[in-house]
């Protein structure tokens, strides 16, 4: 039932301790939304999960495999964890199709034909089949982010980590990306989403995690957390967010 | 073709290089004279060409561009032979190898320096010229008092590249018989064959020092002359 | 004074032109392989703590900081004293290759480092190894970004290959400039011969510049690198 376990993860950059002991568990099919002021270690936490950033201490398991163990083949783990970046990071020199196909061919060693079919199917899933031949620079931000979601999906991940997937987008392009993510959640994908989109959080999150200063201050189901936060810091943050983005969040 | 005897680079061989160092330095002094001469010539002509290319009416600007294109496209050594043998033998104009070297390398450098200045001139916002003209400065005074001082500061970065490349090119003057460091090295080679390798390595080391010292100095000047807000876009 | 040009010079000059192109192509090709390796080492060998990094950096600084002519004469006149004798042609090719490799290493390094950091991270997040990421993501981008400086380097070496005959003018160094010297030594037409040689070089530079721009346009990918300014 438990897919991911994060146990007491610490990370410091120089003198600054960015993660001061973060623990969480994620069940299969669950969507967790992480919120919190910027600079509090949300991205760092996501990157520690697949060791794009090496945690200083603490342990992480994906199912029964210890991600943080030196014996684990980390590339094998990463292939099972999708990652969607704030600024997309599509491979600049490859078409949308090749962006989705590269991991299938080079990591999963799928035959070319099979990889192409699979990649096209994933582009179809995010509504961009017709853009298969386009280079990233020829796509809008929203389209680029959808391709990058397709790239993650193609690997058949057990879990996808989203790091502020809509923060770099113009307001009118946010909807198309959220729509794809909402459908994924409904289809039972397991996801951790760092976002400020409170509307999204409210409607799809099974749990909201509020982080500040490198620790998880409070977590709970969205209904409760939004209506009656236990910690004053949480209430304060939620108030500021709603001032910024309007009552409902965006 | 060579007998290929073996003279390993022992400490003893290196010690024998010592007495030749003053001779090499004297040769290097000539390289530095060529360098100073060619940079000065290249600087003056380069600015003129750049001004022509940017501000002159079309036919004149074209002449400037054609000039720069010629001197950028012909190898240094060909220019040296053209200027030295061409002038002195074909046209009977008595030029010394030294003068021919300064001319050939200087005009070549002017083409490159013109490219640097031109880029700098074009990167100065149009408003600067307009503001100067609005104050009542004529076009020439506007260029000399407002545009050029800014352009020259902006040129320093590109200039440091040009410096290290022309410094190295001065050795080519050897080809037309200037008695500079390569010629001195050849004399020593003739006199003391086993020293050939260490002598050339010593020359190489001297250039290494000059190149890095020169670049450091230009960097320092660049820092001294830096004006807040006036920077090359990178 | 009367200027004399002679069609009889043409065959030898054409042969010289072929040798010039050969020398340029060989040193640029070999230099690209060696230079790319040096560039990769300087970026990925682990920096200041790796001996490989220092070796590569020392090499680059030495060959960029000293004149090509000094390198050529060191190889041709100096190496025989320790038992390594090369023909004028080989001395020239070796010197040019070692020299251009150092410059190309810097261009490759610059190109690799201008690939955004997120590209490596995205590749690793898919489960690629570092080597796979470099091969499939970093290098294909770096190789395109390196085309403009590499083209300049090619033109530079095309011109600088003219110094090969300064060691000794023989069949192996009878390049465009060497051919000019040979004709001049028999005709004593100094100015005419060297101006013709100069025009040959100009024509080569012009043609190669156009070809390289065409290639650059052909492999251009939207969003990668900045378009060359016209003019
Ligand atoms: N690679 C890094 N090197 C040094 N400091 C970093 C690095 N990445 C993040 N940080 C610092 O760690 C802190 C947390 O960053 P981050 O995890 O990106 O926060 P968030 O995603 O919540 O905005 C910030 O103060 C940031 O400056
Ligand atoms: Mg972040």
């Amino acid at each position: 039932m438990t897919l991911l376990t994060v146990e007491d993860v610490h990370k410091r950059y120089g003198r600054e301790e960015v993660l001061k002991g973060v623990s969480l568990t994620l069940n299969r099919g669950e969507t967790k939304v992480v919120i919190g002021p910027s600079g509090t270690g949300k991205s760092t936490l996501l990157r520690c999960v697949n060791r794009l950033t090496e945690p200083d201490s603490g342990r992480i398991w994906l199912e029964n495999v210890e991600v943080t163990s030196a014996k684990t083949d980390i590339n094998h783990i990463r292939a099972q964890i999708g990652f969607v970046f704030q600024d997309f990071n599509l491979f600049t020199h490859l078409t949308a199709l090749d962006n989705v196909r590269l991991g299938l061919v080079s990591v999963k060693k799928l035959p070319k034909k099979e990889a192409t079919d699979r990649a096209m199917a994933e582009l179809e899933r995010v509504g961009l089949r017709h853009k298969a031949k386009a280079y990233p620079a020829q796509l809008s931000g929203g389209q680029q982010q959808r391709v990058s979601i397709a790239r993650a999906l193609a690997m058949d991940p057990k879990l996808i980590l989203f790091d502020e997937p809509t923060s770099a987008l113009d307001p009118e392009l946010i909807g198309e990306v959220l729509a794809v993510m909402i459908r994924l959640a409904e289809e039972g994908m397991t996801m951790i989403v760092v976002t400020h989109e409170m509307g999204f959080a409210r409607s799809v999150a099974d749990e909201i995690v509020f982080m500040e200063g490198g620790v998880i201050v409070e977590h709970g189901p969205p209904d409760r957390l939004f209506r009656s936060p236990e910690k004053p810091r949480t209430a304060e943050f939620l108030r500021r967010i709603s001032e910024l983005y309007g009552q409902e969040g965006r | 073709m060579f007998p290929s005897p073996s003279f390993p680079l022992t400490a003893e061989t290196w010690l024998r290089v010592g007495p030749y160092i003053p001779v090499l330095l004297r040769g290097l002094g000539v390289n530095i004279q060529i360098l100073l001469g060619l940079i000065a010539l290249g600087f003056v002509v380069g600015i003129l060409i750049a001004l022509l290319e940017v501000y002159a009416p079309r036919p004149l600007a074209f002449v400037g561009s054609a000039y720069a294109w010629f001197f950028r496209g012909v190898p240094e050594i060909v220019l040296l032979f053209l200027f030295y043998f061409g002038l002195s033998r074909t046209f009977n104009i008595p030029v010394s190898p030294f003068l021919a070297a300064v001319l050939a390398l200087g005009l070549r450098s002017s083409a490159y320096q013109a490219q640097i200045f031109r880029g700098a001139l074009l990167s100065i916002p149009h408003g600067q010229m307009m503001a100067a003209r609005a104050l009542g400065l004529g076009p020439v005074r506007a260029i000399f008092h407002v545009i050029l001082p800014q352009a020259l500061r902006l040129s320093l970065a590109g200039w440091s590249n040009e410096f290290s490349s022309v410094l190295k090119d001065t050795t080519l003057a050897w080809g037309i018989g200037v008695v500079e460091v390569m010629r001195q090295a050849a004399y020593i080679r003739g006199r003391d064959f086993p020293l050939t390798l260490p002598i050339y390595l010593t020359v190489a080391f001297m250039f290494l020092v000059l190149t890095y010292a020169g670049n450091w100095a230009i960097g320092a000047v660049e820092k001294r002359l830096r004006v807040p807000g006036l920077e090359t876009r990178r | 004074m009367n200027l004399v040009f002679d069609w009889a010079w043409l065959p030898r000059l054409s042969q010289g032109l072929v040798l010039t192109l050969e020398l340029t192509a060989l040193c640029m090709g070999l230099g690209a392989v060696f230079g790319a390796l040096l560039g990769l080492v300087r970026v990925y060998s682990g920096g200041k703590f790796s001996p490989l990094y220092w070796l590569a950096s020392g090499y680059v600084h030495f060959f960029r900081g000293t004149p090509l002519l000094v390198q050529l004469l060191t190889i041709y006149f100096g190496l025989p004293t320790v038992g390594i004798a090369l023909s004028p042609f080989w001395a020239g090719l070796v010197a040019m290759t070692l020299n251009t490799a150092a410059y190309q290493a810097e261009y490759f390094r610059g190109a690799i480092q201008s690939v955004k950091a997120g590209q490596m991270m995205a590749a690793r997040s898919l489960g690629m190894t570092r080597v796979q990421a470099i091969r499939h993501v970093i290098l294909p981008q770096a190789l395109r970004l390196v085309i403009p400086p590499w083209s300049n380097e090619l033109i530079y070496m095309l011109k600088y290959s003219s110094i090969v005959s300064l060691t000794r003018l023989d069949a192996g160094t009878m390049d465009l400039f060497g051919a000019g010297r040979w004709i001049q030594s028999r005709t004593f037409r100094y100015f005419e011969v060297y101006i013709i040689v100069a025009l040959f070089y100009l024509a080569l530079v012009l043609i190669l510049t156009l070809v390289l721009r065409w290639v650059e346009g052909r492999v251009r990918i939207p969003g990668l690198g900045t378009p060359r300014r016209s003019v």
Side-chain angles (χ1 to χ4, degrees):
Chain A
M1 183 67 173
T2 302
L3 182 71
L4 180 79
T5 310
V6 175
E7 194 182 279
D8 197 26
V9 164
H10 289 256
K11 175 71 189 177
R12 66 167 59 240
Y13 285 115
R15 214 174 294 157
E16 181 192 17
E17 189 163 32
V18 175
L19 295 180
K20 303 171 182 163
V22 175
S23 306
L24 57 82
T25 57
L26 188 68
N27 294 327
R28 188 168 290 114
E30 188 184 1
T31 296
K32 253 192 197 5
V33 166
V34 180
I35 59 175
S38 77
T40 51
K42 305 183 298 295
S43 300
T44 306
L45 173 64
L46 287 197
R47 289 210 280 259
C48 279
V49 167
N50 65 358
R51 279 170 61 194
L52 284 175
T53 291
E54 211 53 70
D56 295 336
S57 65
R59 305 213 286 177
I60 297 167
W61 286 268
L62 183 67
E63 294 175 322
N64 297 321
V65 183
E66 189 187 340
V67 177
T68 39
S69 157
K71 277 177 249 132
T72 306
D73 174 6
I74 190 60
N75 293 315
H76 184 65
I77 298 287
R78 286 181 186 150
Q80 303 171 57
I81 301 180
F83 203 110
V84 175
F85 299 87
Q86 178 172 346
D87 41 8
F88 332 131
N89 291 336
L90 286 182
F91 302 127
T92 319
H93 64 301
L94 298 179
T95 59
L97 175 62
D98 284 328
N99 261 282
V100 181
R101 192 164 49 181
L102 182 59
L104 296 172
V105 175
S106 71
V107 178
K108 291 204 143 181
K109 312 285 182 208
L110 252 55
K112 184 129 190 230
K113 170 84 174 64
E114 213 173 305
T116 307
D117 293 345
R118 178 66 199 266
M120 282 311 264
E122 294 302 343
L123 283 175
E124 175 95 69
R125 200 163 157 197
V126 298
L128 287 173
R129 194 189 171 88
H130 62 294
K131 291 288 186 185
K133 289 268 177 290
Y135 286 99
Q138 297 167 325
L139 298 172
S140 72
Q143 291 171 330
Q144 290 189 57
Q145 194 59 296
R146 281 148 70 198
V147 173
S148 99
I149 294 175
R151 177 172 72 179
L153 284 173
M155 301 295 286
D156 264 333
K158 292 181 171 152
L159 156 70
I160 305 185
L161 309 172
F162 293 84
D163 190 1
E164 302 202 32
T166 57
S167 295
L169 298 177
D170 293 335
E172 71 274 17
L173 301 177
I174 290 176
E176 61 187 76
V177 173
L178 289 181
V180 170
M181 292 167 61
I182 290 170
R183 215 180 57 236
L184 283 179
E186 287 166 358
E187 288 168 10
M189 176 56 76
T190 314
M191 329 198 280
I192 301 180
V193 183
V194 175
T195 187
H196 293 133
E197 299 297 333
M198 291 304 150
F200 171 82
R202 211 178 280 267
S203 61
V204 302
D206 298 300
E207 187 176 65
I208 308 280
V209 174
F210 172 59
M211 262 185 87
E212 190 176 51
V215 293
I216 292 178
V217 175
E218 179 171 0
H219 61 95
D223 287 344
R224 187 198 56 74
L225 196 120
F226 282 127
R227 196 171 311 125
S228 51
E230 284 165 6
K231 302 277 165 57
R233 292 296 306 131
T234 316
E236 162 75 12
F237 176 75
L238 289 173
R239 195 169 48 71
R240 281 215 321 272
I241 281 279
S242 62
E243 270 168 18
L244 271 176
Y245 296 118
Q247 208 52 48
E248 262 305 287
R250 257 193 327 222
Chain B
M1 139 215 63
F2 266 104
S4 308
S6 222
F7 301 101
L9 283 178
T10 58
E12 190 259 347
T13 326
W14 278 108
L15 280 178
R16 288 210 293 126
V17 170
Y20 289 112
I21 285 182
V23 184
L24 289 177
L25 286 177
R26 207 177 328 135
L28 199 62
V30 176
N31 290 77
I32 292 175
Q33 286 173 34
I34 299 176
L35 175 73
L36 295 177
L38 87 88
I39 288 207
L41 177 62
F43 183 81
V44 173
V45 179
I47 287 187
L48 287 176
I49 298 296
L51 289 175
L52 272 189
E53 285 187 275
V54 176
Y55 295 113
R58 254 180 157 231
L60 262 181
F62 177 78
V63 171
S65 302
Y67 168 94
W69 180 73
F70 177 85
F71 279 100
R72 280 206 302 266
V74 179
E76 285 86 336
I77 191 70
V78 177
L79 290 173
L80 284 165
F81 273 57
L82 193 60
F83 274 75
Y84 180 58
F85 294 110
L87 289 180
S88 67
R89 305 284 162 79
T90 305
F91 297 105
N92 286 316
I93 301 168
V95 290
S96 66
F98 178 88
L99 186 59
V102 170
L103 271 179
L105 296 178
L107 295 182
R108 190 215 70 106
S109 179
S110 76
Y112 282 88
Q113 294 191 46
Q115 202 173 24
I116 297 167
F117 297 140
R118 184 170 156 263
L121 284 176
L122 290 175
S123 74
I124 307 245
H126 202 65
Q128 295 287 315
M129 180 61 127
M130 298 219 286
R133 300 301 302 278
L135 286 177
L137 274 74
V140 174
R141 305 184 102 219
I143 289 172
F144 275 88
H145 291 291
V146 177
I147 307 294
L148 266 187
Q150 299 186 41
L152 290 181
R153 283 194 185 94
L154 290 180
S155 302
L156 272 170
W159 216 67
S160 112
N161 262 332
E162 175 63 5
F163 160 80
S164 34
S165 110
V166 290
L167 167 67
K168 289 176 272 179
D169 287 348
T170 59
T171 54
L172 295 174
W174 174 66
I176 55 171
V178 179
V179 186
E180 45 68 80
V181 70
M182 301 308 280
R183 176 69 46 189
Q184 300 290 9
Y187 288 154
I188 299 168
R189 183 179 89 218
R191 222 173 312 154
D192 207 340
F193 178 68
L195 283 191
T196 308
L197 185 55
I199 285 291
Y200 278 120
L201 289 177
T202 306
V203 173
F205 179 74
M206 289 173 169
F207 273 99
L208 213 52
V209 171
L210 276 182
T211 303
Y212 283 97
N215 280 337
W216 175 84
I218 292 176
V221 171
E222 200 179 355
K223 241 182 228 141
R224 279 288 297 275
L225 293 183
R226 189 163 293 155
V227 176
L230 180 65
E231 267 137 35
T232 15
R233 281 164 295 166
R234 300 214 163 231
Chain C
M1 177 210 78
N2 63 335
L3 296 179
V4 178
F5 297 94
D6 192 336
W7 287 107
W9 300 345
L10 212 53
R12 192 162 279 274
L13 285 174
S14 322
Q15 283 171 16
L17 183 146
V18 172
L19 181 58
T20 291
L21 287 176
E22 267 173 34
L23 277 168
T24 309
L26 282 172
C27 84
M28 286 307 289
L30 296 169
V33 176
F34 190 22
L37 281 175
L38 285 168
L40 283 170
V41 166
R42 287 197 76 189
V43 179
Y44 292 115
S45 65
K48 315 239 178 300
F49 300 106
S50 136
L52 260 183
Y53 171 86
W54 285 107
L55 220 60
S57 303
Y59 178 93
V60 168
H61 285 297
F62 178 81
F63 278 92
R64 282 164 48 97
T66 56
L68 176 52
L69 183 63
V70 175
Q71 293 157 19
L72 174 64
L73 300 195
T74 306
I75 289 169
Y76 184 71
F77 293 118
L79 288 188
T81 64
V82 291
I84 307 168
L86 299 177
S87 73
F89 171 83
W90 280 104
L93 183 59
V94 169
M96 286 167 59
T97 302
L98 295 182
N99 181 274
T100 191
Y103 284 87
Q104 292 189 39
E106 283 301 88
Y107 301 140
F108 278 113
R109 183 172 71 103
I112 292 170
Q113 286 176 340
S114 63
V115 175
K116 288 193 226 64
Q119 298 284 307
M120 175 59 105
M121 196 145 52
R124 298 306 301 275
S125 82
L126 290 175
M128 285 191 216
T129 63
R130 217 158 117 90
V131 173
Q132 280 178 324
I134 292 171
R135 182 173 147 224
H136 294 297
V137 176
I138 309 295
L139 273 188
Q141 298 188 40
L143 287 176
R144 285 186 177 81
L145 293 171
V146 87
I147 292 177
W150 194 86
S151 303
N152 288 341
E153 177 67 10
L154 186 143
I155 301 292
Y156 185 87
M157 288 315 286
L158 170 79
K159 292 188 289 169
Y160 237 99
S161 64
S162 57
I163 72 167
V164 282
S165 66
L166 291 184
T167 52
R168 204 158 70 91
L169 181 58
D170 69 3
T173 56
M174 194 80 72
D175 69 336
L176 205 35
F177 176 62
R181 286 174 69 195
W182 188 88
I183 296 166
Q184 169 252 288
S185 70
R186 275 150 189 80
T187 62
F188 301 101
R189 314 303 318 182
Y190 297 90
F191 181 79
E192 298 93 319
V193 169
Y194 292 123
I195 203 79
I196 294 275
V197 168
L199 291 176
F200 265 82
Y201 276 106
L202 278 173
L204 275 184
V205 167
L206 184 65
I207 293 168
L208 280 175
T209 307
L210 292 177
V211 170
L212 289 167
R213 274 200 201 170
W214 177 77
V215 170
E216 195 191 335
R218 279 301 296 263
V219 300
R220 147 142 284 132
I221 285 176
L224 191 60
T226 43
R228 218 183 245 273
R229 270 184 306 147
S230 52
V231 178

